[in-house]
Amino acid sequence: SGASEITKNGFDAAGWIRRSRREPRTIIASNVDLLFHLAHSSSTEKSDMYSTGGNDESDSSSRVAVEEIQFVSPYNVTTVKKEFDRNNLGPDQIEVESLCSLVSSGTELKIFKGTFESASLDVNIKGMADEAMEYPLAYGYSLVGRVVACGSNVADAESLIGRNVFTFSPHSSRVVVDRDAVQIV
């Protein structure tokens, strides 16, 4: 059973209970095995990566490689390589380079196994309400990354560049989102 494995691996249940009673409002959990990291395919130096506002259409380095996790069919997951052109960054958008993305052991396990019903991805998350949950599917909703570029209308662009942010975005090495759809972490 699961309980005997927990005991064999040195889990101190009595100690955990004592600590939780002393500090009832603090719950610390670590599921590092559920964090997904995509290696960055760019060798661009930090000073060259970050940009604000003006997109120079003559800049040949405006194309950026992106890798995205895609659920293809039950028990079939792959990475899809795409390209993003920074010249297409909207005025109110930001570009985020992924640091890690949480893989949900609930929803995504259902997608992996094919035990979900076709429906909206998530009616509560901007941008997902109009997308259907059916294969092939890029999914995920808990990505943390570093802001590397901002559109021309992003008021706090200077202070935002290089900052870590949270966004409800699929598992990807890089995402483009509206500025108002991220939280600074």
Side-chain angles (χ1 to χ4, degrees), residues 6-142:
I6 289 173
T7 306
K8 278 194 300 190
N9 291 325
F11 179 72
D12 178 13
W16 181 84
I17 291 170
R18 282 192 304 276
R19 284 189 305 278
S20 66
R21 286 181 178 153
R22 272 195 317 264
E23 301 176 40
R25 294 187 189 133
T26 303
I27 297 175
I28 299 172
S30 176
N31 287 322
V32 175
D33 58 330
L34 294 179
L35 293 178
F36 182 77
H37 298 268
L38 279 171
H40 300 288
S41 56
S42 172
S43 60
T44 309
E45 296 201 20
K46 183 176 179 176
S47 61
D48 294 335
M49 287 175 32
Y50 300 138
S51 65
T52 58
N55 294 325
D56 180 2
E57 291 186 29
S58 64
D59 183 6
S60 62
S61 67
S62 67
R63 303 207 60 78
V64 179
V66 176
E67 285 186 275
E68 182 178 83
I69 298 300
Q70 192 170 82
F71 294 87
V72 180
S73 61
Y75 299 95
N76 186 0
V77 180
T78 189
T79 56
V80 176
K81 294 181 187 308
K82 297 180 175 185
E83 240 183 35
F84 166 70
D85 186 344
R86 278 199 176 137
N87 293 326
N88 294 332
L89 185 65
D92 298 311
Q93 293 180 318
I94 63 172
E95 179 184 347
V96 178
E97 182 179 64
S98 175
L99 296 173
C100 61
S101 186
L102 178 73
V103 177
S104 162
S105 59
T107 308
E108 289 176 274
L109 185 58
K110 285 182 176 184
I111 294 170
F112 178 72
K113 291 180 174 182
T115 59
F116 63 92
E117 293 184 23
S118 184
S120 293
L121 286 181
D122 193 317
V123 296
N124 299 307
I125 299 175
K126 183 179 178 180
M128 289 189 172
D130 296 331
E131 294 186 39
M133 188 177 285
E134 52 192 37
Y135 298 117
L137 174 63
Y139 195 71
Y141 51 81
S142 187

